[in-house]
Structures are given as C-alpha cells and as structure tokens.
Amino acid sequence: MAGPFQVGRNSVVIGVPARQVFDYLADLSHLMEWSGESDFRVTRAPDGPAGPGVTLRREQSGVMRGPLIIRGGMSDNPVRVERLSRLTVYEPPDPERLRAGALVVETRNSYNGLLHSIEKFIFEFVPEMDRETDGTRVTMVTEIEPMVPGMFIGPVYAIRLMRNAFARIFGSRLSPQLPVGPQLSRVKDKVEAPEPG
C-alpha cells in the first residue's frame, strides 16, 4: 500500500516541564482524554508502567444500516471498530543534557476484524529555555498508512491531506507557528490544570 501519509502537524507551548508532559502522554490510560475518543470502550488497559511495548485496546460496537446486495432492500449490519495502540518509541526528555524527548504511539485500526490502517502520533518535547516560565514546546505529527483500498477510506484521508496542505500554505503566511490542533489543546488543558485539593 502507499504511505504512510502525513495528515497533520501541530505544535503548542505547554507551561510545565517537558518530563511532566511526556509522562502524561506516555500513560496510555490518558489516550482517550486527549484523542477525543470518549465513545470507545477499553477492552485491555495498559498493564504496568509506561514504556516501549505497552498497549491499550479499545473498541466500539454498533449497527449500521446498509443495502443488501443480493436480495435488494436494506439490512442492519453489526459493526465493530477496534483500535490497538502501542508505544513504539519511548525516549524521555533530559533537560540537563539538553536532549529533547520523543514518543510514538502506533494505533492499528480494524473494522469488523479487517485491519484498514495504521495511525502514528509522533511527539517531540523541547524545553523552552529562553522563557521565564518553565515550559515545553510539544510538536505532534500524525501519519496514516492505509492497509486496504476502499471507497470509504479514500475520501477521509483525502480531506485530512487537503486540510494539512491548506494549513501549511496559508498558516505559514499568517504565522510562523504551527496550528495547535484539538488533540494538543486537550493535552495543554489537562496538563496545565491545577491539581484538585
């Protein structure tokens, strides 16, 4: 299959140390908070501390109404979407050695048992040294590799690719900064929120 395709590149400065943001994102139990997948049900939670190979499985089941090809008419068809996420790169930031951190979350997306795409969230954590506040620039790149051709997959990727190209062309003219994006906005809100108590 062709790919992987870069379908998103976002960046934001978060007002906490790099290790704190890294630890939040490396804990896969938080993935549904920042990814916006609240309608999924966790079927296998991470077992053990964050590190390479840790996994999270979630799924969503339902019924989709569609046409019957042989007899004609409409039918209710069971649908199961499964997402298996795994940490494939785990490199904590080390501000004392001036080393940026890196984290990659790879998700295998299946539809009724058929693997249709692999999606990667690639994070880089760079401490903001020139600021008075203790902040971190977090950059997130999203890549998708389609595994099967299909009419239902192509348009979704085409729209995401066009949005990314539009943001690169016009975003760079309006501002040298990358757009924040909804996932990084959620991460910023969660990590910067004061702890209860």
Side-chain angles (χ1 to χ4, degrees):
M1 294 294 127
F5 300 106
Q6 188 180 122
V7 294
R9 185 175 179 84
N10 302 295
S11 180
V12 69
V13 174
I14 299 177
V16 298
R19 186 61 196 240
Q20 188 176 340
V21 187
F22 179 90
D23 289 343
Y24 173 80
L25 287 166
D27 183 351
L28 290 184
S29 64
H30 297 298
L31 190 143
M32 292 195 306
E33 290 176 359
W34 59 263
S35 68
E37 297 178 342
S38 58
D39 49 349
F40 278 77
R41 170 177 66 90
V42 173
T43 56
R44 185 169 77 198
D47 52 352
V54 170
T55 60
L56 169 74
R57 178 180 283 136
R58 57 222 186 273
E59 70 176 45
Q60 181 184 45
S61 299
V63 175
M64 183 175 75
R65 189 133 181 94
L68 284 170
I69 296 175
I70 297 174
R71 296 191 322 247
M74 297 296 279
S75 171
D76 291 333
N77 302 301
V79 172
R80 183 172 58 85
V81 177
E82 183 180 89
R83 296 193 175 166
L84 178 63
S85 296
R86 182 169 60 96
L87 288 178
T88 57
V89 174
Y90 182 87
E91 298 172 4
D94 188 348
E96 291 180 10
R97 295 185 183 170
L98 300 175
R99 188 178 75 192
L103 186 71
V104 177
V105 180
E106 181 180 286
T107 300
R108 299 174 71 84
N109 299 304
S110 300
Y111 181 86
N112 283 350
L114 175 67
L115 176 66
H116 67 78
S117 66
I118 297 175
E119 185 170 18
K120 288 183 183 177
F121 293 115
I122 303 163
F123 295 96
E124 183 183 45
F125 308 84
V126 179
E128 291 280 295
M129 299 301 208
D130 59 340
R131 294 179 179 257
E132 291 182 17
T133 59
D134 197 9
T136 305
R137 174 158 299 281
V138 181
T139 302
M140 182 180 90
V141 175
T142 307
E143 291 182 352
I144 292 185
E145 183 175 0
M147 302 307 290
V148 295
M151 292 175 23
F152 68 97
I153 295 174
V156 173
Y157 296 142
I159 290 169
R160 292 178 78 175
L161 286 167
M162 284 190 306
R163 268 196 301 201
N164 186 39
F166 184 80
R168 280 186 173 193
I169 293 167
F170 295 104
S172 61
R173 289 183 187 166
L174 301 174
S175 166
Q177 302 294 331
L178 292 170
V180 175
Q183 289 101 346
L184 286 182
S185 291
R186 291 186 199 105
V187 171
K188 183 177 173 69
D189 291 345
K190 290 286 184 180
V191 175
E192 289 184 343
E195 294 187 18

